Amino acid sequence: MDQVPAQVKKQRTKELSALFHSYNPYHHKIGETQQVLVTEESFDSQYYVAHNKYYEQVLVPKRSEFKGKMIEVEIFEAGKHFLKGRPLDGCKVFTPSIAEPLQKGEVSGLTPEPLSLQQNGSISSSGVLTASWSPWSRDREGLKLLSISLAVVAIVVVFMWEKLH
């Protein structure tokens, strides 16, 4: 390819730099109130890093009671890759959770099954299945049937392929 003259390269670089510096993706969020989850310390250790519901990074003051908690902040500064928020006066600091913490031996995400389905586990007094119960135990026969069916289909496909070629 033919080389572009040096003056054209410089002009294009200048235009691209100006475009990059004018790009402020979060500027419109200044003044917004947002709920954020504080997850970690910033790289420079000056702030805590939080994320809003869009997983945008929001820097908040480094106060020990914020770590691992949800807080409400007002966005007061925006950069190319971050937002800065200050906690609202009287904002509630709370632990995000949709349920009470699990008791020892309880398994998350499982719903109580009738006792007649239980063969290898038990239901605790709170109605939650204990860890000895395996979600695969009652589906084992279904998995065997699926495996056999797939093997038969594979054999039929190979047989038909051989006949056609």
Side-chain angles (χ1 to χ4, degrees), residues 89-128:
D89 289 335
C91 77
K92 289 192 322 184
V93 177
F94 62 95
T95 302
S97 180
I98 58 172
E100 292 296 315
L102 295 175
Q103 299 299 316
K104 184 175 181 178
E106 292 181 341
V107 179
S108 173
L110 296 179
T111 57
E113 296 288 331
L115 284 174
S116 62
L117 293 177
Q118 294 302 304
Q119 294 175 359
N120 298 325
S122 62
I123 296 181
S124 69
S125 61
S126 64
V128 177

Side-chain angles (χ1 to χ4, degrees), residues 56-107:
E56 295 164 332
Q57 191 177 76
V58 181
L59 300 176
V60 298
K62 192 174 171 184
R63 295 192 350 215
S64 60
E65 67 268 20
F66 290 167
K67 186 87 180 259
K69 308 290 185 186
M70 292 285 295
I71 60 172
E72 194 168 12
V73 298
E74 177 188 358
I75 304 302
F76 70 92
E77 185 181 336
K80 291 198 185 311
H81 307 289
F82 69 90
L83 298 161
K84 281 188 183 175
R86 68 172 63 95
L88 296 179
D89 289 335
C91 77
K92 289 192 322 184
V93 177
F94 62 95
T95 302
S97 180
I98 58 172
E100 292 296 315
L102 295 175
Q103 299 299 316
K104 184 175 181 178
E106 292 181 341
V107 179

